[in-house]
Amino acid sequence: MAGVRAARAQNADAGAPAQGSPAPSVTAPADGGAAPEAVPAETGGGLFEQSQAAASAGAAKSEAAAETKVPFTLNGYARGDTFIGKVPNANAAEMKANYGELALQLRTVKSAFGDGFADARIRYGLQGADQGTFVDLREAYVNGYLGPVDIRLGKQIIVWGRADALNPTNNLTPIDFRIRSPLEDDIRIGNVGARAFLRFSPVRLEGVWMPVYLATELPNVGLPEFVSFGPPKYPSLDLRNGLVAGRVHLELPAFDMSVSYLRGYAPLPGLTLTSVTFDPVNPSVIISRTAYDQQVVGFDFSTALGEVMTLRGEAAYRRPYDWQNKPYAARPDLQYVIGADHTFFGSLSVIGQYLGRYVFDWERVPLSAMPLDPNVLKMDPTDPTFDSNYWVPTVTDAANLVLARTSQVLFNQTAQVQHVATLRFDWLLAHETLSVSTLGLVNFTTKEWLVAPRIGYRFNDAMTAYVGAQVFSGPTETLFGLIEEVLSAGYAELRYSF
């Protein structure tokens, strides 16, 4: 699931602006860059620029006007969103989300030695099952420019990879699938860490350190009777548990590529059985989200084939540590993407991709995993007929089998070999005031599919309206099958940018 709704990567890397150069403005996260709308373009003079003329009544000459500059730019938006979808297991509609949000993005004026950036969101309303006021400091970091070295410290979103929507090499910062937004990038979560670049043109070295673990958040898809989540099992704040990663970039005029290595805890945890309680009144099965550590070796490239198309590719080999003894960990796998994009008539952009996955040492977990029988859980352990030597291991084995199957679903490893295709198009019409776009995904192996159409109309430079939908579908024993009635929805948004 991770990456299905991720924003597409671009050729340029906006994550490390060169010393003295303005930070680029993008509409989708660049390769390794920060959130798209969170990087406003530099205007040179800054906002709220004003001049004051000063003159002395008895002076022979008039003094030149003194210009005062505010040392930052402030941008953002206000928006209202409504998402409506189906009530799970019922022929009725319900409000999936309904909220108003204010976003403020502040960037300091760039100096010879650095600059700063912050992106804060204030939202009130309904998001899934939660209603109230939510404050999120999405990013807050400082860039330092020290000769050939660029360094960024603070809370930041790091996106690796050049493919569209699905990025096998992107395993650095987590995603919150509970957030409902027409913009794919809004589901990314910032994390506190350090990122540095060392430039030896045409080679660029990149290093990342994330000392604090944050997990990808999933929507509430419902649990069986008497089953609930307990406290998660995440790594401690020991410095040895931090994520470290490195990347070597080769940047030529018509060809970009990089090779990467990552070691750390995977953003998407698995599931483990914590406890089983037999009780005639309050039986319970407690499960916990449990993180596992892994190493990932990646490669990506992008090249322009003249005026015909841009060709992109990406691959990653993932190997969790000691996965044989960790049923909550993914199995080693290899993911690979090849895609091409082309712009027709100057206004229609089309991206097509193929993604494959091969799982090593794969074993099928039976679909007919033994369910947890509520009647068994409600047995009285003080009853003389209760045999703990039989019932405890029986229920434990059944629960572990269900969790093993669920983990395969979460990690998209229900088949040893998978074949996936994606297609995205963006079309600007009516003098670029009307936009029509769609992202489609089909997993030919598991029979899952996703379609996310969107229509936008720009009234002026500030006001835009969107209507669209996000529709998931799949068989019962698949990830999209689990979430289709929870996440599928149609939506409308009205946004004012400033």
Side-chain angles (χ1 to χ4, degrees):
M1 183 173 187
V4 170
R5 294 165 56 192
R8 62 182 177 184
Q10 305 294 318
N11 282 327
D13 189 331
Q19 180 179 356
S21 63
S25 176
V26 294
T27 56
D31 172 31
E37 69 277 7
V39 187
E42 292 285 350
T43 60
L47 296 180
F48 313 117
E49 192 173 83
Q50 60 180 352
S51 299
Q52 295 179 336
S56 174
K61 296 181 179 180
S62 297
E63 294 182 359
E67 186 180 64
T68 302
K69 294 183 179 180
V70 175
F72 61 85
T73 58
L74 182 64
N75 300 88
Y77 62 79
R79 69 177 183 180
D81 290 75
T82 298
F83 285 72
I84 298 176
K86 181 178 178 297
V87 177
N89 303 315
N91 292 322
E94 69 175 352
M95 192 77 69
K96 299 289 188 180
N98 188 25
Y99 62 87
E101 181 177 80
L102 171 66
L104 297 174
Q105 291 122 22
L106 181 147
R107 181 177 291 278
T108 66
V109 172
K110 185 181 295 295
S111 72
F113 297 102
D115 59 1
F117 174 78
D119 179 7
R121 310 283 177 91
I122 304 172
R123 182 175 66 250
Y124 174 78
L126 177 69
Q127 275 274 17
D130 300 322
Q131 183 169 351
T133 300
F134 308 89
V135 179
D136 177 23
L137 184 60
R138 194 163 185 256
E139 290 189 281
Y141 57 77
V142 173
N143 293 318
Y145 309 129
L146 311 172
V149 178
D150 297 341
I151 185 169
R152 174 175 293 176
L153 296 176
K155 188 176 184 182
Q156 53 193 294
I157 295 172
I158 301 177
V159 183
W160 276 7
R162 302 177 192 273
D164 176 51
L166 303 169
N167 300 108
T169 62
N170 186 36
N171 296 275
L172 290 138
T173 49
I175 292 174
D176 190 343
F177 288 104
R178 301 170 303 178
I179 295 175
R180 297 179 182 273
S181 170
L183 301 181
E184 298 167 26
D185 185 72
D186 281 355
I187 67 175
R188 299 190 187 279
I189 303 174
N191 199 358
V192 176
R195 188 184 192 189
F197 289 88
L198 179 61
R199 300 187 303 275
F200 297 103
S201 183
V203 175
R204 189 158 53 100
L205 305 180
E206 177 183 359
V208 176
W209 177 52
M210 291 288 175
V212 179
Y213 179 77
L214 288 181
T216 287
E217 298 293 342
L218 300 174
N220 182 14
V221 295
L223 295 172
E225 188 179 9
F226 305 127
V227 179
S228 59
F229 280 106
K233 299 178 181 179
Y234 295 158
S236 66
L237 295 179
D238 191 315
L239 291 179
R240 293 172 295 181
N241 292 329
L243 181 148
V244 293
R247 206 174 174 199
V248 180
H249 301 257
L250 175 63
E251 298 168 333
L252 301 174
F255 181 80
D256 291 340
M257 63 160 284
S258 73
V259 178
S260 60
Y261 175 79
L262 176 148
R263 177 174 180 173
Y265 283 84
L268 180 60
L271 300 174
T272 56
L273 179 64
T274 300
S275 67
V276 176
T277 301
F278 292 89
D279 189 289
V281 179
N282 294 309
S284 68
V285 175
I286 306 299
I287 60 177
S288 297
R289 305 186 75 202
T290 305
Y292 65 91
D293 52 347
Q294 64 179 0
Q295 54 183 342
V296 182
V297 179
F299 167 79
D300 61 70
F301 77 91
S302 174
T303 185
L305 303 179
E307 299 294 327
V308 179
M309 68 178 67
T310 298
L311 188 66
R312 307 176 192 273
E314 190 172 341
Y317 171 68
R318 171 177 60 170
R319 186 175 181 84
Y321 286 96
D322 195 26
W323 59 270
Q324 300 92 334
N325 299 313
K326 297 177 179 178
Y328 52 89
R331 291 180 179 267
D333 63 11
L334 175 66
Q335 299 178 66
Y336 37 93
V337 185
I338 187 72
D341 62 83
H342 181 73
T343 300
F344 299 87
F345 318 117
S347 61
L348 174 60
S349 175
V350 179
I351 304 175
Q353 289 187 156
Y354 163 79
L355 179 139
R357 182 196 298 266
Y358 180 83
V359 183
F360 298 90
D361 298 301
W362 183 80
E363 293 180 0
R364 181 183 298 276
V365 178
L367 291 174
S368 57
M370 178 180 175
L372 296 173
D373 188 347
N375 293 323
V376 172
L377 291 172
K378 294 176 71 173
M379 296 183 67
D380 186 352
T382 63
D383 191 311
T385 63
F386 180 82
D387 184 357
S388 61
N389 293 326
Y390 172 75
W391 290 113
V392 172
T394 297
V395 173
T396 299
D397 290 346
N400 283 328
L401 194 59
V402 172
L403 292 178
R405 180 62 185 180
T406 304
S407 293
Q408 278 197 333
V409 171
L410 289 177
F411 300 140
N412 287 314
Q413 295 186 339
T414 54
Q416 185 169 27
V417 180
Q418 294 188 46
H419 303 285
V420 180
T422 67
L423 179 67
R424 183 196 297 270
F425 74 81
D426 294 277
W427 198 0
L428 293 176
L429 303 164
H431 303 288
E432 299 188 353
T433 60
L434 178 66
S435 63
V436 180
S437 63
T438 295
L439 170 64
L441 179 150
V442 178
N443 189 320
F444 297 101
T445 305
T446 63
K447 312 303 181 186
E448 298 169 273
W449 58 268
L450 156 71
V451 62
R454 185 181 72 181
I455 298 175
Y457 184 78
R458 181 165 54 87
F459 298 97
N460 53 38
D461 290 341
M463 183 77 74
T464 307
Y466 296 103
V467 293
Q470 297 164 351
V471 182
F472 300 81
S473 181
T476 302
E477 291 287 340
T478 64
L479 181 60
F480 286 4
L482 290 175
I483 66 173
E484 63 180 8
E485 292 190 338
V486 177
L487 287 186
S488 294
Y491 63 81
E493 175 184 287
L494 192 61
R495 173 186 294 247
Y496 185 91
S497 301
F498 56 87

